């Protein structure tokens, strides 16, 4: 006869084969050994208990048996299949789409991968840190994480889509305030766009030049600024002119 195997705890995938046990009897030379194995499952298919029972009976009905309990566990985390995304620094309009990762596991064919994104350290619309965390999990709750950090920057100025336009108006004798205000408020007819957010307009208007009568002009620079402080400018001139001859009043 052989020694009965001790109880054991093993990793899934490494379950030993049943021992080949024989028996001897003082009176029965032909005594045999029967073997039975039962499996007690848990909620996870990869973790279970094996009960192995060896039983011997001689011809007189005398019985002896031995039991080995094997606890099968899964403590090994899954591994990612693909190459893992590296950390990046990108412009705000070039953030890559999150990669789809899969996993493999020594014991669990149904291991799965989840992904969460988080924006942190945001200083403006186009400048922040994006973290992507992929987690591969098996049935036993073992997990492997991979974190990608994407540093998003905005160093690109807005695009001037339509340049500002010069404007000349006939003097009205009162400074043409309405014409000037409308021109300034419309940014001289200019428009701009930004790849990562809205733009804010400003201008450097101070005053009109003091020409003859109520005429004058001013050259104004209009500046489009994005949320991260990048800016582009366009310049034009507003002119109040007098092209109308005086009228002669008849006495």
């Amino acid at each position: 006869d052989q020694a009965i195997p001790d109880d054991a705890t093993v990793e899934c995938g490494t379950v030993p084969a049943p021992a080949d046990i024989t028996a001897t009897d003082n009176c029965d030379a032909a005594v045999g050994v029967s073997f039975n194995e039962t499996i007690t499952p848990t909620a996870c298919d990869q973790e279970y208990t094996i009960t192995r029972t060896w039983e011997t009976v001689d011809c007189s009905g005398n019985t002896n048996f031995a039991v080995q309990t094997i606890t099968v566990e899964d403590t090994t985390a899954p591994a990612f299949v693909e190459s893992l995304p590296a950390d990046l620094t990108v412009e705000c309009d070039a953030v890559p789409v999150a990669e789809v990762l899969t996993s493999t596991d020594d014991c669990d064919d149904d291991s799965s991968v989840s992904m969460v994104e988080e924006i942190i350290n945001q200083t403006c619309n186009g400048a922040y840190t994006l973290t992507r965390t992929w987690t591969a999990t098996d049935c036993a709750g073992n997990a492997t994480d991979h974190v990608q950090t994407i540093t998003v920057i905005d160093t690109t100025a807005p695009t001037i889509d339509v340049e500002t336009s010069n404007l000349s108006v006939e003097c009205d004798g009162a400074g043409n305030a309405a014409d000037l205000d409308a021109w300034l408020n419309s940014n001289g007819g200019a428009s701009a766009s930004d790849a990562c957010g809205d733009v804010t307009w400003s201008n450097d208007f101070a005053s009109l030049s003091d020409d003859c009568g109520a005429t004058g002009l001013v050259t104004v620079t209009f500046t489009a600024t994005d949320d991260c402080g990048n800016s582009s400018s366009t310049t034009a001139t507003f002119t109040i002119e007098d092209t109308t001859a005086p009228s002669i009043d008849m006495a």
Side-chain angles (χ1 to χ4, degrees):
D1 55 354
Q2 291 82 29
I4 303 301
D6 293 332
D7 293 344
T9 297
V10 300
E11 188 74 8
C12 58
T14 64
V15 177
D20 186 12
I21 303 297
T22 60
T24 59
D25 188 81
N26 291 335
C27 300
D28 186 354
V31 66
V33 177
S34 62
F35 171 76
N36 181 62
E37 180 177 272
T38 60
I39 294 177
T40 303
T42 66
C44 179
D45 289 343
Q46 287 68 49
E47 296 190 312
Y48 51 92
T49 300
I50 302 173
T51 303
R52 289 173 171 172
T53 304
W54 291 264
E55 184 176 11
T56 180
V57 181
D58 64 18
C59 64
S60 298
N62 300 302
T63 301
N64 196 8
F65 65 90
V67 177
Q68 179 194 32
T69 300
I70 300 176
T71 302
V72 181
E73 60 183 13
D74 180 3
T75 63
T76 303
F80 291 104
V81 174
E82 297 82 8
S83 298
L84 300 178
D87 294 344
L88 298 171
T89 297
V90 298
E91 280 287 323
C92 53
D93 60 344
V95 177
V97 175
E99 295 188 32
V100 176
L101 300 182
T102 58
S103 64
T104 183
D105 188 80
D106 289 340
C107 301
D108 186 357
D109 293 335
D110 296 323
S111 63
S112 61
V113 177
S114 61
M115 193 276 289
V116 294
E117 277 188 343
E118 183 181 11
I119 292 176
I120 59 175
N121 303 327
Q122 184 165 19
T123 57
C124 57
N125 283 339
Y128 53 90
T129 300
L130 175 64
T131 61
R132 290 172 172 168
T133 302
W134 290 263
T135 301
T137 308
D138 65 17
C139 174
N142 303 299
T144 300
D145 290 335
H146 173 69
V147 179
Q148 179 191 35
T149 299
I150 301 176
T151 302
V152 182
I153 59 175
D154 182 1
T155 62
T156 304
T159 299
I160 302 295
D161 300 312
V162 178
E163 298 283 345
T164 191
S165 299
N166 296 329
L167 178 64
S168 295
V169 297
E170 188 73 13
C171 71
D172 62 4
N176 294 87
D179 294 326
L180 177 59
D181 288 345
W183 186 72
L184 292 173
N185 291 336
S186 70
N187 306 309
S191 65
S193 58
D194 188 75
C196 302
D198 298 327
V199 298
T200 301
W201 283 96
S202 61
N203 64 71
D204 65 353
F205 172 76
S207 62
L208 287 161
S209 65
D210 185 14
D211 293 345
C212 70
T215 65
L217 60 83
V218 62
T219 298
V220 178
T221 297
F222 296 89
T223 301
T225 305
D226 66 19
D227 189 52
C228 293
N230 305 296
S231 61
S232 298
S233 298
T234 176
T235 300
T237 299
F238 179 86
T239 303
I240 301 174
E241 58 184 2
D242 181 3
T243 61
T244 303
S247 61
I248 298 176
D249 297 327
M250 302 298 294

